[in-house]
Amino acid sequence: MTKRRPAQLGKGAVMFPQDPKNDGNRKSLGDAMHAATVAVALAGMIGVATGTCQAADAPLAQVQTIPLESVRGRIDHIAVDVAGDRLFVAELGNDSVDVIDLEAGKATGRIENLKEPQGIAYLSDSDSIVVANAGDGTVRFFRAADLGPLGTVVLGDDADNVRIDLVTGRVFVGYGNGGLAVIDETTRSLVGEIKLAGHPEGFEIDPKPNRAFVNVPDGRQIAVVDLQSAKQVSTWKFASLGGNFPLALADSGGPLAVVFRSPPKLVLLNPKTGSAEQSVDTCGDADDVFFDGKRERLYVSCGDGAIDVIERDANGLRTIGRVRTSAGARTSLFVPELDRLFVAARAGGVESQAAILVFRPSP
């Protein structure tokens, strides 16, 4: 992996007019305003779900802001190239994908003239990027080195989340009114389709039993798909819960985390039976959830402007922190190899421009 410099906090300065006749008052005013500014910044950055949390105790702290220049509108999913120290950001409202150099802390390239890019993935074997576009239903492949086009697969409607089967190398894309497209990475061609009851949102592939777990909120269900037969083999429904968008698998055979929007709640499921084992309330309008195996935590990023930090132990689930971000910052990516959570913040919220907010878990 490329050696990374320690992340730096952004710095700002407040300038006051020089007044030699009133230097003492000017200094007092500057000190007071500086203290107030720091207090407001910390309060907005470290908000918690319950009680009061000091900065030193925060389970998740912002350490960097990476600006996304001239990006407007909604930002969707994020992918990572760990070895190359790069992020790839699908900027749906801007019809673009930005390439972020994490060591430099800035965007170094952009793919433009896309059609509402939503899902994105990085293929390390071929050093290429996969971009799923909602606007024209295409899945486009690009060389990561120079962002040149490699090929296009036309699905026809609302191409969305992208996942890679690490065993076969095949690319799975949720799309349309109910389907998973199966794409061969080498030939960049459609080799299969799996029918579902509605448009798929978050999904995960469990390679050992060769299954996929798929959130289908329009069908108010989680679909369990056998990838060998390319068919749905189980349907899990929850009468009192709806809007199941994000989903994460702890590891093969481990618990499955599903976050519902109505009401806002995270539920841990047994991946063999679909039975609910634990649950906890969350922030609203969730769109991504990740396991942090090192700390036995989960991170839930929400469009209402918060990240929930949830601890998991023998006694169940409990929220140990609620970190404030900005309205609409619902998509994120936790990268265990870098021990960082990246959150996409659109322009016009707390940030004056669009940005990737970088958080460090602790301890």
Side-chain angles (χ1 to χ4, degrees):
M1 186 175 78
T2 304
K3 186 176 181 181
R4 303 176 65 243
R5 295 193 299 266
Q8 300 292 321
L9 287 170
K11 296 182 180 179
V14 179
M15 302 301 295
F16 297 96
Q18 296 295 323
D19 183 0
K21 297 180 181 179
N22 196 21
D23 186 69
N25 290 340
R26 177 175 58 82
K27 183 177 180 181
S28 298
L29 177 60
D31 290 344
M33 291 190 69
H34 175 72
T37 300
V38 171
V40 170
L42 287 174
M45 188 173 69
I46 306 171
V48 295
T50 58
T52 302
C53 181
Q54 299 300 319
D57 301 324
L60 199 63
Q62 186 177 343
V63 294
Q64 190 180 19
T65 298
I66 301 174
L68 299 175
E69 302 287 348
S70 304
V71 172
R72 292 288 179 261
R74 178 180 152 198
I75 302 174
D76 221 310
H77 294 289
I78 308 169
V80 67
D81 166 18
V82 173
D85 228 10
R86 296 177 291 183
L87 282 186
F88 306 99
V89 185
E91 298 153 349
L92 183 148
N94 210 55
D95 290 332
S96 59
V97 166
D98 263 3
V99 182
I100 306 295
D101 182 322
L102 291 174
E103 185 175 7
K106 64 180 182 179
T108 57
R110 176 172 291 176
I111 303 170
E112 298 186 301
N113 301 315
L114 298 169
K115 299 294 184 183
E116 299 180 4
Q118 294 191 112
I120 190 162
Y122 173 71
L123 301 171
S124 58
D125 289 348
S126 58
D127 190 32
S128 58
I129 310 164
V130 186
V131 183
N133 296 272
D136 60 6
T138 62
V139 179
R140 299 181 181 271
F141 291 78
F142 298 89
R143 287 188 299 271
D146 60 9
L147 307 184
L150 290 172
T152 300
V153 176
V154 179
L155 300 182
D157 182 38
D158 198 10
D160 199 342
N161 281 287
V162 179
R163 298 289 184 270
I164 309 301
D165 186 335
L166 299 179
V167 175
T168 66
R170 287 186 165 177
V171 179
F172 288 78
V173 182
Y175 76 101
N177 293 324
L180 289 181
V182 187
I183 298 172
D184 183 274
E185 173 194 353
T186 305
T187 62
R188 290 180 279 279
S189 60
L190 184 68
V191 295
E193 296 178 84
I194 301 169
K195 297 299 183 182
L196 300 168
H199 180 75
E201 291 294 338
F203 68 96
E204 293 290 344
I205 294 172
D206 190 348
K208 288 186 178 179
N210 205 23
R211 293 184 300 177
F213 301 98
V214 188
N215 270 335
V216 186
D218 290 343
R220 298 184 68 88
Q221 65 177 251
I222 298 169
V224 182
V225 175
D226 178 80
L227 298 180
Q228 182 66 34
S229 64
K231 292 181 179 179
Q232 182 171 338
V233 292
S234 295
T235 302
W236 300 339
K237 293 194 173 186
F238 305 87
S240 60
L241 298 169
N244 48 314
F245 281 74
L247 179 151
L249 185 65
D251 49 45
S252 186
L256 188 70
V258 179
V259 186
F260 297 83
R261 293 181 179 178
S262 180
K265 189 177 290 292
L266 183 149
V267 181
L268 284 187
L269 304 177
N270 183 313
K272 295 181 180 179
T273 65
S275 59
E277 297 181 336
Q278 299 172 343
S279 67
V280 66
D281 293 341
T282 69
C283 44
D285 193 25
D287 209 47
D288 272 317
V289 59
F290 299 95
F291 281 95
D292 179 348
K294 175 182 176 181
R295 299 174 180 86
E296 289 295 318
R297 292 177 184 169
L298 297 104
Y299 305 118
V300 181
S301 58
C302 296
D304 68 0
I307 308 162
D308 272 359
V309 183
I310 297 168
E311 191 171 71
R312 178 167 68 108
D313 58 27
N315 297 320
L317 300 172
R318 65 187 183 98
T319 302
I320 60 172
R322 177 164 290 177
V323 180
R324 293 295 170 187
T325 54
S326 61
R330 61 168 63 90
T331 52
S332 62
L333 178 69
F334 178 62
V335 183
E337 297 90 341
L338 304 178
D339 205 28
R340 293 292 184 269
L341 176 69
F342 301 95
V343 178
R346 66 176 67 178
V350 172
E351 304 296 326
S352 60
Q353 67 179 142
I356 297 297
L357 311 181
V358 185
F359 293 88
R360 181 188 63 230
S362 68

